[in-house]
Amino acid sequence: MRRFLLLILLFASCTFNVYAQHERRYTQGVIEETRIYKTIEPITPYSLGLRVSNSGAYGTVEYKYNEISYWEGRIGYSFFCDGLVLAGLHNWRLLQYNNIFLDLGCGLGIYTDIDEYYIAAKAKARAGFTLRKIPLSISLDLTPNLIYDICCGYIDIIGDLGISFTYNF
């Protein structure tokens, strides 16, 4: 009788261990399957991009220093003043759902012409998505500018609608 009870106990123990291993493999399989479809996360906090808008073309550099905030630098050519533009913006990620995002930001810019200089206060609203297979973000953004002409002393408002392509390293 003891041998029979010991054999049943051993069989139950083996069955429980096999069941537990199967559950672990099944759970890990589900996790691995969901990871396949997850957006690729960038390795470093740096991004390089290109922005084309109704007021010019810019190269962008971004530095993400925490989960919701990042700095953006722009350098490019402006149709507004036929010259160079340097701008810096601080951005906040308001919404991140899977690979879709919504950002708001503000900053300052300097526009140069042959004989004139402009200072601009900038705001930014950006909505876009990140591709699943490669860390490339495509976004549409609106950047209104309040521009002050240093030489002449007048103020102008320019609406700037653009599309950006950003590669996240």
Side-chain angles (χ1 to χ4, degrees):
M1 182 73 172
R2 287 184 186 170
R3 288 183 191 169
F4 180 71
L5 289 175
L6 190 60
L7 186 63
I8 289 177
L9 186 61
L10 182 66
F11 179 74
S13 174
C14 290
T15 305
F16 179 75
N17 284 336
V18 168
Y19 175 76
Q21 287 177 1
H22 172 73
E23 284 299 311
R24 258 186 261 131
R25 278 192 225 128
Y26 178 74
T27 305
Q28 288 173 355
V30 170
I31 290 170
E32 288 172 3
E33 285 179 17
T34 55
R35 285 185 186 159
I36 291 172
Y37 300 107
K38 189 176 177 183
T39 303
I40 297 173
E41 293 294 325
I43 298 169
T44 68
Y46 299 102
S47 302
L48 286 176
L50 174 68
R51 181 176 186 273
V52 180
S53 71
N54 61 335
S55 72
Y58 311 95
T60 63
V61 176
E62 295 177 2
Y63 175 71
K64 183 176 181 182
Y65 61 90
N66 63 28
E67 289 297 316
I68 60 169
S69 299
Y70 64 95
W71 287 99
E72 177 182 357
R74 294 179 181 174
I75 185 169
Y77 177 78
S78 173
F79 303 136
F80 166 71
C81 64
D82 288 331
L84 181 68
V85 176
L86 293 171
L89 293 119
H90 184 265
N91 299 291
W92 295 272
R93 176 122 324 150
L94 294 182
L95 176 68
Q96 175 81 39
Y97 179 73
N98 288 336
N99 60 338
I100 298 169
F101 58 87
L102 177 65
D103 299 344
L104 287 180
C106 62
L108 293 174
I110 298 173
Y111 290 76
T112 63
D113 196 350
I114 295 172
D115 58 347
E116 294 185 25
Y117 297 95
Y118 309 91
I119 295 176
K122 297 176 164 287
K124 177 181 164 184
R126 176 181 177 194
F129 64 94
T130 303
L131 299 176
R132 293 187 189 271
K133 300 291 184 184
I134 56 173
L136 179 70
S137 298
I138 301 171
S139 62
L140 185 66
D141 64 76
L142 177 64
T143 308
N145 298 295
L146 180 63
I147 296 178
Y148 175 71
D149 186 347
I150 296 173
C151 300
C152 301
Y154 72 88
I155 296 176
D156 197 5
I157 296 175
I158 296 176
D160 188 11
L161 183 64
I163 187 167
S164 299
F165 302 92
T166 308
Y167 186 81
N168 309 308
F169 290 99

